[in-house]
């Protein structure tokens, strides 16, 4: 079932109700207790005045309650937006973590391949005595270590982003997030995949002495 995303409501300025000016309570009427009918009418009019006084206070309290409700709706909307931005910040943090692993892997791959190239050329010098497989073995080990680190970083990144996406979709379906911000495929992950292929080509070139780096 396809879930349609609702557009995020716009925040509005809500005017606070005017401050209520307290009205004096109607004074208790002085009645002639000997005349019960007149006393009853006077007290009824007094109770009516009190009711009108309470009605005014109740209406003011209702206005204040509606104002607080509007403010609560705005706070809820702002909380949803902050939560959405938190997901984006978490996603960017995961990308930065993967970039750190990429830098480490790139250093290992480039260092291992450089060692292989330099010492492989030195083998042709008569004054240098070195086992013929030593440069290749060391270079392959360094490049392999870089590929291993990059593989672990990519797997961790994929699992983390998958869990984050599932959590985000769940919150969108529950109405806790609008989910309007884009959530594209990570460009950092694509770059990491290309770097992984580069390291693989480097190992193949060193082991089998074939293109593209032979």
């Amino acid at each position: 079932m396809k879930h349609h995303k609702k557009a995020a409501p716009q925040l509005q300025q809500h005017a606070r109700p005017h401050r209520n000016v307290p009205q004096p309570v109607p004074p208790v009427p002085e009645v002639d207790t000997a005349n019960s009918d007149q006393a009853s009418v006077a007290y009824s009019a007094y109770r009516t005045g009190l009711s009108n006084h309470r009605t005014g206070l109740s209406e003011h309290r209702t206005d204040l309650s509606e104002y607080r409700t509007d403010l609560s709706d705005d706070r809820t909307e702002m909380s949803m937006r902050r939560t959405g931005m938190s997901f984006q910040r978490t996603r960017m943090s995961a990308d930065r973590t993967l970039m750190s692993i990429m830098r480490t892997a790139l250093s290992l791959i480039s260092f291992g391949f450089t060692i292989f190239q330099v010492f492989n050329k030195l083998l042709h010098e008569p004054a240098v005595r070195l086992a013929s497989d030593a440069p290749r073995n060391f270079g392959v080990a360094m490049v392999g270590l870089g590929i291993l680190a990059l593989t672990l970083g990519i797997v961790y990144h994929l699992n983390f982003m998958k869990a984050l996406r599932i959590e985000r979709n769940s919150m969108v379906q529950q109405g806790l997030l609008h989910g309007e911000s884009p959530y594209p495929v990570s460009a950092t992950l694509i770059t990491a995949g290309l770097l992984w292929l580069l390291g693989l080509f480097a190992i193949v070139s060193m082991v089998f002495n074939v293109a593209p780096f032979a």
Side-chain angles (χ1 to χ4, degrees):
M1 181 180 295
K2 186 176 181 180
H3 297 272
H4 298 281
K5 298 178 181 178
K6 297 181 180 179
Q10 299 295 324
L11 297 179
Q12 300 178 356
Q13 289 292 112
H14 301 287
R16 191 182 191 279
H18 296 291
R19 185 176 297 276
N20 183 46
V21 179
Q23 300 295 328
V25 179
V28 179
E30 296 181 0
V31 297
D32 184 6
T33 56
N35 190 340
S36 59
D37 293 337
Q38 183 181 2
S40 177
V41 171
Y43 282 130
S44 295
Y46 175 68
R47 285 194 296 270
T48 301
L50 290 178
S51 297
N52 293 333
H53 182 71
R54 286 195 298 269
T55 300
L57 293 177
S58 297
E59 290 176 350
H60 182 66
R61 284 196 296 268
T62 300
D63 292 339
L64 289 177
S65 297
E66 292 176 350
Y67 176 68
R68 286 194 296 267
T69 300
D70 292 336
L71 292 181
S72 298
D73 292 340
D74 287 347
R75 284 194 293 268
T76 301
E77 173 64 22
M78 293 179 65
S79 297
M80 294 173 68
R81 294 185 181 184
R82 283 195 295 266
T83 304
M85 289 188 290
S86 297
F87 271 96
Q88 295 294 343
R89 286 194 296 268
T90 303
R91 182 173 177 269
M92 288 188 290
S93 297
D95 282 345
R96 285 194 294 268
T97 301
L98 182 58
M99 283 190 286
S100 299
I101 298 175
M102 287 171 57
R103 285 193 294 268
T104 302
L106 181 60
S107 298
L108 291 171
I109 292 172
S110 59
F111 179 71
F113 189 75
T114 301
I115 290 295
F116 167 74
Q117 290 287 354
V118 171
F119 282 92
N120 195 40
K121 292 180 179 180
L122 288 177
L123 288 176
H124 298 86
E125 298 294 332
V128 177
R129 294 183 178 181
L130 189 65
S132 59
D133 293 337
R136 184 193 64 185
N137 294 339
F138 183 78
V140 168
M142 295 297 294
V143 175
L145 185 60
I147 292 179
L148 177 61
L150 190 58
T151 302
L152 295 176
I154 290 175
V155 171
Y156 172 80
H157 184 82
L158 287 173
N159 291 334
F160 181 82
M161 295 302 292
K162 180 181 178 181
L164 189 65
R165 189 182 295 272
I166 291 175
E167 180 67 21
R168 180 176 182 268
N169 292 337
S170 175
M171 295 186 70
V172 170
Q173 293 175 5
Q174 295 175 21
L176 301 177
L177 280 179
H178 296 303
E180 293 182 335
S181 56
Y183 210 78
V185 178
S186 173
T188 306
L189 180 61
I190 296 175
T191 307
L194 295 176
L195 180 59
W196 190 91
L197 291 176
L198 181 66
L200 182 63
F201 289 152
I203 281 188
V204 171
S205 296
M206 287 188 292
V207 174
F208 300 103
N209 195 26
V210 295
F213 303 116

